[in-house]
Amino acid sequence: MNQRIGYPDGETVRIRTATLGDLPDIVRMLADDPLGATREQYRSPLPDTYVAAFSAIDGDPNNELVVLELLGAVKGVLQLTFIPHITHQGGWRALVEGVRVDSGSRSLGLGRRMFDWAIERSRERGCHLLQLTTDKARPEALRFYEDLGFVASHEGMKLRL
């Protein structure tokens, strides 16, 4: 998707489709916490795997990688994936992944802005549900999602391959 998607706030805050040029900022934010530091590789040049993943996401109409800019600088990122299901009468759901706000810009309401956008975008795409997982080692994130109205209704499980 190569369109400007907006959430202007006096031209200081906007949410837009990520570009390849945003990738270093995205990886920097993903690596800038105790969990991300163990699994991401923020260096120059970035490993080719990040570029390949970006290309796959960018080329898939059911994936949207967006960044939040504050005064022209990338300060947030999230990936929104739209998933068709046979359950719920063939309904669609949206999945939020890879949410980060720049560590120096937290507590400014930027995460809430990104989620306001994600919720509205999911409605636009006809989704009946927006879901996410959060690591149990991130209690602040859990509280944030609960404050947004998310409910821990299921037990998530993962199998490392």
Side-chain angles (χ1 to χ4, degrees):
M1 175 166 35
N2 193 15
Q3 65 179 347
R4 180 177 174 178
I5 48 183
Y7 198 165
D9 179 15
E11 298 303 316
T12 62
V13 175
R14 82 174 168 140
I15 295 176
R16 63 169 175 79
T17 302
T19 66
L20 188 57
D22 297 319
L23 198 53
D25 282 325
I26 292 168
V27 175
R28 174 186 53 78
M29 287 185 289
L30 293 173
D32 187 23
D33 75 19
L35 294 175
T38 65
R39 60 183 176 223
E40 305 304 339
Q41 294 184 30
Y42 177 59
R43 65 177 193 244
S44 184
L46 289 174
D48 292 338
T49 53
Y50 289 112
V51 176
F54 177 88
S55 296
I57 293 164
D58 193 48
D60 183 343
N62 287 320
N63 273 286
E64 297 181 8
L65 184 66
V66 298
V67 293
L68 178 141
E69 287 185 344
L70 176 65
L71 299 171
V74 173
K75 298 293 184 177
V77 62
L78 70 73
Q79 180 177 341
L80 192 57
T81 301
F82 303 102
I83 308 165
H85 281 266
I86 298 299
T87 62
H88 293 270
Q89 301 175 34
W92 284 72
R93 65 182 64 189
L95 173 67
V96 176
E97 287 284 334
V99 178
R100 292 293 189 287
V101 171
D102 181 84
S103 60
S105 300
R106 293 189 183 137
S107 299
L108 299 176
L110 302 180
R112 183 169 293 277
R113 291 289 180 105
M114 288 194 302
F115 269 88
D116 287 348
W117 176 87
I119 292 165
E120 182 57 31
R121 182 69 180 128
S122 298
R123 285 186 177 125
E124 287 172 5
R125 286 285 304 253
C127 296
H128 67 88
L129 183 73
L130 177 60
Q131 64 187 37
L132 57 81
T133 61
T134 189
D135 196 293
K136 292 179 180 183
R138 290 189 168 113
E140 314 82 30
L142 181 60
R143 280 191 300 277
F144 171 72
Y145 298 134
E146 288 172 341
D147 287 348
L148 289 172
F150 285 85
V151 176
S153 61
H154 291 67
E155 185 72 24
M157 301 175 84
K158 295 185 179 189
L159 176 65
R160 297 234 179 258
L161 303 175

